[in-house]
Structures are given as C-alpha cells and as structure tokens.
Amino acid sequence: MQEIRTAIVCTAGAAILLSGFTAQADAADTDTAPSDPNPSSGNSAGGAAPGPAAPAEPFAWGDFTWLNGGSRQHASLLDTKYFTGTFTADINYNYSFNNPIDHTNVGSTATFREGEVNLSFIAFGGDFHYKHARGRLLLQFGTRATGVPRNDLTPLRGQFDLYTALRYISEAYAGYHWDVWHGVNLDVGMFMSYVGLLSYNNFENWVYQPSYTSDNTPWFFTGFRLQTFPSDRLKLELWLINGWQTYGMFNEAPGVGYQILWRPEEYISVLANGYVGFDTPNTSTRVRFHSDNSFLLRYYNNPGGRISKAAFSITGDLGFESGAGVTPFGGDGGPAQNFISGMFYNRVWFLNDLFGWTVGTGRMHNPGRYLVLLPTGVAATTFTTNKGDVFDAWDVQTNIQYMPNEYSTWGIELVHREANVPYFAGHGGVTSPNGYNPPIGDPNGFVPDLVKSETRLIFSLLFRI
Amino acid sequence: MGMPRVRFVALLVPCSACSLFLPARKDPVSEAKETEAAVCPAGRAPEYPESLFDARSIVRVEEIYSSVRTGRSGNEARLQGAKLRLRPIAGMTTNDLEALLLCRQARRVMGRSGEIELTSDPYWLPQSWLNITVESESGNFLVSVRGPDNKTANEILSRAMAFAASAPSFGNPALKPNG
C-alpha cells in the first residue's frame, strides 16, 4: 500500500511540475507575442473580417439548458472580465406524512428538517479568472453545511477538525487553462463529482429530492481534476482524489477516477463516470469500484408551443467492494458487498418553459450498506452497516415546477420512498421521547422510531443568479 | 399536533399558486414598442451615418460567451451572440450609436417602412428581441449583439460573420431601403 501511495504521489508531482513549465512557456508566449499593428488589413481590402467560423468553446454550439443536472440559464448575470459570481438561495418546506416529533428527516441530502421552513442551501462565491489562471470559491450555508459533511468519516482520522475547517466550502480550487484542443483545465482543490447525474445545486435538477443513485453517491471530491476537451462535443476528465466524497483520506492510497461526457447532438447527452479507491476506515485492503452511467434524450422540442419540450434521463450504477472479508457478489471470500441502482426521470415543459412536470422512480440494492446514508440522531447507533446487511429501497416521485424566469424556481413535489428494513423517520423520530436533545430531552434508553416507508410533500423556492 | 401541520400544508398548496401572479416575460413586439417610443424620432426613421451599415467598417467579429456554472462538471460557455468591432464614425458617440441600432431594431421588428435592409443583417432578427450595447475600446466601437437563446445567438454570429465577409458598399444590391 505504501508503495502505491509513493508511486502515485511521485507521478502526480511530476505531472504538476511539467504542467507548471508548460504554463510558464505558454504565458511567456502570450506576453511576448507582438500585437497585430493593422488587424483590419484583410478586411479593408474587401476580404473577410478576422473571426470565428463557429463557436469554439466546448458545448457552446448547442442549447443544453434542458439537461437534468445542468443549468437552465442561458447567461450568467454576474459575468465580468475577472470574476464570474453566483448566488443561490434554496429554501424548502418538507412535510412528512409520518409527522416525526423531532422534525428530522432521514436518508436525504436535499431535505434535512421536517415540518419547518428550512434554509437548505445558501451559496455564494464564484470564479476568478485572469489570462489562463483560474480559481473558484463557493461558500455554502444552511443545513447542507452539516447534512453533507456528516457522511464523510475521514475527518475522524487525525487532527485539525476538517469538519469545522471545510463544512462551509462546497467548492474551492486553483487551476490553469491551456488552449490545447478545445481546452485543457487542471484544477486542484475541492470540486463537484458528477457521479449520479444530478447537480448538488437543486436549481439545476428536474426534481428536488434526488433518487438514491444520486443521493447516495458523491457530491464532491478533494484532489486533482484534469479536464480535456478533444472536440467541442467531448470531455475526458481524470481525477486523483483523497477518496469517495471525502475531505481527507481513509487509508494510504488516493482514489482515481474518470469521466466521459459526450454530446454528439443538442438533444443527446451521454455521461460515464468510473472510480477505484480504498474507502473503508482502517481497512486498507478493501477496494471500492464504482461505475455510473447516464443517458439523456430530449425527444420533443417545440419552442413556443404549449408543450415546449420533453426529455428523459436514465442512470444506471454498478459498484462493489472487495477484500477484508467481503466479495463483490458473494463467494468464499465473504458476503456480497455491492451497489446496483438505477433511476429514471421524464420531464415535460409547458408554455415556453414556464412550467415543468417531472415524474421519476429509482431503486437501489446495497448489501453491506456501504453507500446507505446513515440515519441521524440515536438511529445512527442502532442502524447497522455490517458485512452482509442487506438494504433494498425504491422511490417514486412527481413534481410541478414553475419557472417565471431563468433565476427563480417554485416547486411542489410528492415523493414516496420504501426500504426493506426500518430506515425512515417515523412519528417517534430519532432524537428522544419528546423529540428534543438534552437538556430538554433525554435520549438515554430511547429507541428511535424507524419505519419502512415515508411519503413527503416538498415545497421549494429557489433563486439563483 | 398533527392537524395544525396538515392545515399549514393545505395552505401552502394554494399559496404556491401565488407564483402565477409573478410578472410574465415580455414579447419582442412589446420590447420594440417601448424602445421605439424611447429612442426613435417620432414617425420616421432616424438618419444613419453612411458608413454604419458598410461592412468595410467592421474590423473584427468575435463570439460572445457567458460562463455559466452548470451541474457538477464545472463552468460551461454559453454562446450569447457576436461582438462587432467597428471603425470610429466621425461625430458619433457610443450612446448615439446604441440608440440608432436600437431604434432600427425596434422599427424592423414593428415592420416600419423606410429602414435600410441588409443581407445577413446581424443587428436584428424577426421574432426576436436582441440586446444591443455599444462600448468604446481603443478608438473602435464595440457593438455587442446578444440573443435570448442559443439558437438566436448562433444566428447572430453566423449573420455577423457573413455580413463582415460580404464587405458591401452603398450602392451594392445587398443594401437597399425597404418599403
């Protein structure tokens, strides 16, 4: 294991040095290149003015605002020469028909509190860019700042409290851009993962509550990301990261992964992600593999019509862990530990995209429960994640979204979820007999009320610029 | 305890319908009417400088992108339209030029007579309202023409390129008054 880490670190170091030299040469070229003293010379002679034959930036040739997990905005309002800013306010009222007395939701990274108006995700920041250098900082506040970091156990290793240090940052990196092919970017820091299709920012999703395939897979990575665009329709991306949605590292070797994003036509998007790493605490010989694949198709497009467009997305994931007493699909080495899941969404837009109606469903099969979101409160100590523990779950949902402009989304969503074991918050909640933490409540001896199903209504109002 | 919360939720459903009373999006003709009233001379076309619609006045055409944060993949460039770098026109300020181009767009959208017609006209499109702004840079006018969506933006860029390449002059058949 130590040798693997040494080899990876040396390779990464060499790559960074090489990219640094390339960047220096690139910058020198830019600085010393003589400017054209007479840029209009060709045109004044009656020839074509210098300019582009077609948009050169990747994916700029088409309208991809329909994608599930992609921004529907055509332009950024806070786009300047050196800084592109963004702000998101994501507010919800999440009502469970189980009426948990502690107003706590279980098993979601989109909704955390129940029966209350909740500030789920307040984000602001943006991208700094000067010549080819770039950097991003996106701060996050709201319940996501506690609800998402809790699923990462790497801060429990060692000191300096990474939870406190990083919970209010959703993305932060430094990077560099090269004008090679249709662009090459190297970013180092914390960035979004794209495993599971849907976006961390719910403003970009067709639904508010993601299905398990998205909710139970990583939202972010910490490490290196190399994005390459060999054509304006293809992105190839490589990752060298601390782990599977982690601030730190579980064992001694980083994880590696890739992404392939291909959009051959405006109405098709194909996405594939892969990951290999060692993500079990204190178990360095157990390897994790994960494959995530999505296909999106806009099968109807009639701008200006009553039904303005319609599209679907389908995502399938296959993953497993192997070693240290578990096997991918069962056998002599131990019980099966895998993740097989899928989700499907269909969306129809009405009245020139003023309204969107989505229906969706998904399921997950996860023996070993290594990707199950651990219930909160006292339930965190009673819900087991041992080898061979089976977890099967499915969901179905529908919503109506009203989008008066590109910056505001109003939503009503009905979601029903079921699991093969008690998992969701029942009426008794997961905190204490009266639903309060100490000193008002006493969790000693309390048995959390987990149930096998839940039905929730989610009202949401999202603003993003 | 359950009943008041059910009532609260029941109230939220009709309250969500409040969103229907938010202001609706403007159509191109409404934009044109407002703009014509604000920047055009009453009842007639403005007087355009001779060189304004001569393609030889174009120094360069560039794409306009907006960097949009999207999904988990990072920023994506969204095409907005085209930026036309024009040679200076004697006696004309950026405000003057912006008003002229906006007025012409408004009158073309409204179907007014007496406006100059260009082949591959990048300064207006039927059924659309384009965002036109003019800045000054290094002695040139920078005319930015942006569309509301990708299709329009591509059309603007395509027209701007074709118009610049045509390099017509007054008297060229490609350029004639309508109506």
Side-chain angles (χ1 to χ4, degrees), chain A residues 109-159:
Chain A
T109 63
T111 54
F112 304 94
R113 301 285 295 188
E114 189 280 337
E116 299 169 347
V117 174
N118 182 235
L119 276 61
S120 181
F121 182 56
I122 309 299
F124 66 93
D127 296 273
F128 300 85
H129 32 80
Y130 180 68
K131 293 189 175 177
H132 290 182
R134 57 193 229 156
R136 176 168 179 80
L137 174 64
L138 188 67
L139 301 175
Q140 66 171 0
F141 297 92
T143 39
R144 275 209 159 167
T146 54
V148 171
R150 71 174 288 275
N151 299 316
D152 172 18
L153 299 182
T154 58
L156 300 178
R157 185 185 195 196
Q159 302 297 317

Side-chain angles (χ1 to χ4, degrees), chain A residues 98 104-109 150-151 209 212 215-216 364 366 369 371-376 379-380 382-385 390-394 417-426 429-430 448-454 456:
Chain A
N98 291 340
T104 299
N105 199 47
V106 166
S108 170
T109 63
R150 71 174 288 275
N151 299 316
Q209 172 62 63
Y212 305 103
D215 225 14
N216 295 47
M364 71 176 275
N366 188 207
R369 298 181 181 175
L371 291 188
V372 175
L373 299 173
L374 198 62
T376 48
T382 61
F383 187 85
T384 62
T385 54
V390 175
F391 186 84
D392 286 301
W394 61 271
R417 310 182 116 194
E418 295 215 6
N420 68 319
V421 293
Y423 177 67
F424 305 102
V430 295
D449 180 17
L450 296 182
V451 296
K452 289 187 176 181
S453 70
E454 68 171 9
R456 290 186 281 125

Side-chain angles (χ1 to χ4, degrees), chain A residues 35-337:
Chain A
S35 57
D36 184 352
N38 186 13
S40 63
S41 54
N43 191 41
S44 60
E57 290 287 330
F59 310 125
W61 52 270
D63 184 352
F64 295 101
T65 55
W66 60 274
L67 290 170
N68 194 4
S71 175
R72 64 183 170 86
Q73 296 175 331
H74 287 88
S76 178
L77 287 184
L78 306 176
D79 198 7
T80 66
K81 188 174 180 181
Y82 303 115
F83 179 71
T84 304
T86 183
F87 171 79
T88 297
D90 173 352
I91 319 294
N92 72 53
Y93 180 88
N94 168 48
Y95 176 79
S96 169
F97 287 87
N98 291 340
N99 286 316
I101 60 172
D102 59 351
H103 287 205
T104 299
N105 199 47
V106 166
S108 170
T109 63
T111 54
F112 304 94
R113 301 285 295 188
E114 189 280 337
E116 299 169 347
V117 174
N118 182 235
L119 276 61
S120 181
F121 182 56
I122 309 299
F124 66 93
D127 296 273
F128 300 85
H129 32 80
Y130 180 68
K131 293 189 175 177
H132 290 182
R134 57 193 229 156
R136 176 168 179 80
L137 174 64
L138 188 67
L139 301 175
Q140 66 171 0
F141 297 92
T143 39
R144 275 209 159 167
T146 54
V148 171
R150 71 174 288 275
N151 299 316
D152 172 18
L153 299 182
T154 58
L156 300 178
R157 185 185 195 196
Q159 302 297 317
F160 301 113
D161 192 1
L162 294 180
Y163 287 129
T164 302
L166 299 172
R167 70 172 64 256
Y168 299 111
I169 298 172
S170 63
E171 280 182 276
Y173 55 72
Y176 200 84
H177 169 86
W178 288 269
D179 288 328
V180 178
W181 294 331
H182 285 257
V184 172
N185 306 316
L186 176 68
D187 300 315
V188 185
M190 192 189 306
F191 48 87
M192 291 298 158
S193 81
Y194 221 148
V195 176
L197 183 64
L198 269 62
S199 172
Y200 188 65
N201 190 324
N202 260 329
F203 190 85
E204 302 179 343
N205 297 330
W206 294 354
V207 291
Y208 194 87
Q209 172 62 63
S211 188
Y212 305 103
T213 304
S214 183
D215 225 14
N216 295 47
T217 49
W219 290 118
F220 67 88
F221 291 138
T222 306
F224 296 80
R225 175 178 70 181
L226 180 68
Q227 297 181 318
T228 67
F229 299 90
S231 82
D232 60 356
R233 289 157 201 257
L234 178 67
K235 178 175 75 166
L236 305 176
E237 189 171 297
L238 297 172
W239 319 318
L240 177 63
I241 50 185
N242 286 348
W244 177 271
Q245 186 172 276
T246 63
Y247 294 137
M249 195 180 291
F250 280 116
N251 294 293
E252 303 307 319
V256 294
Y258 69 87
Q259 178 186 111
I260 301 170
L261 175 62
W262 183 47
R263 295 176 184 164
E265 302 291 343
E266 187 184 271
Y267 54 88
I268 294 176
S269 181
V270 181
L271 174 70
N273 297 288
Y275 173 83
V276 178
F278 302 86
D279 296 280
T280 307
N282 207 26
T283 310
S284 61
T285 57
R286 183 177 297 170
V287 65
R288 176 178 298 178
F289 167 84
H290 196 95
S291 172
D292 166 77
N293 309 281
S294 295
F295 176 76
L296 296 89
L297 178 71
R298 188 188 65 197
Y299 57 87
Y300 180 79
N301 190 37
N302 181 26
R306 285 189 176 182
I307 297 177
S308 40
K309 59 190 173 214
F312 72 79
S313 72
I314 186 165
T315 303
D317 280 31
L318 172 65
F320 60 78
E321 291 193 328
S322 182
V326 300
T327 57
F329 301 102
D332 293 339
Q337 189 133 314

Side-chain angles (χ1 to χ4, degrees), chain A residues 5-30:
Chain A
R5 182 163 80 162
T6 304
I8 291 174
V9 168
C10 288
T11 306
I16 292 171
L17 282 174
L18 186 63
S19 61
F21 286 130
T22 311
Q24 202 169 26
D26 193 20
D29 288 347
T30 303

Side-chain angles (χ1 to χ4, degrees), chain B residues 26-36 39-40 101-110 123-132 145-149 152 156:
Chain B
K26 280 186 180 174
D27 63 288
V29 175
S30 302
E31 294 271 14
K33 276 182 184 171
E34 282 185 19
T35 304
E36 184 186 40
V39 300
C40 291
L101 293 173
L102 285 170
C103 173
R104 179 169 176 273
Q105 177 183 210
R107 287 176 55 81
R108 295 292 277 146
V109 169
M110 301 286 289
Y123 298 117
W124 85 281
L125 288 176
Q127 314 299 324
S128 290
W129 183 254
L130 310 182
N131 180 296
I132 300 176
V145 187
R146 294 176 168 87
D149 52 52
T152 311
I156 293 167

Side-chain angles (χ1 to χ4, degrees), chain B residues 40-103:
Chain B
C40 291
R44 63 177 176 83
E47 291 179 12
Y48 299 106
E50 284 188 8
S51 60
L52 176 56
F53 298 121
D54 186 337
R56 289 177 299 184
S57 68
I58 299 176
V59 177
R60 185 179 173 83
V61 175
E62 300 167 11
E63 309 115 310
I64 303 175
Y65 293 111
S66 181
S67 177
V68 172
R69 192 72 191 171
T70 182
R72 306 188 205 177
S73 64
N75 284 17
E76 277 186 11
R78 297 272 159 86
L79 187 68
Q80 305 295 297
K83 185 178 287 184
L84 295 91
R85 181 182 289 269
L86 305 185
R87 299 178 200 286
I89 301 170
M92 177 157 288
T93 66
T94 55
N95 282 344
D96 295 339
L97 181 54
E98 189 170 302
L100 276 180
L101 293 173
L102 285 170
C103 173

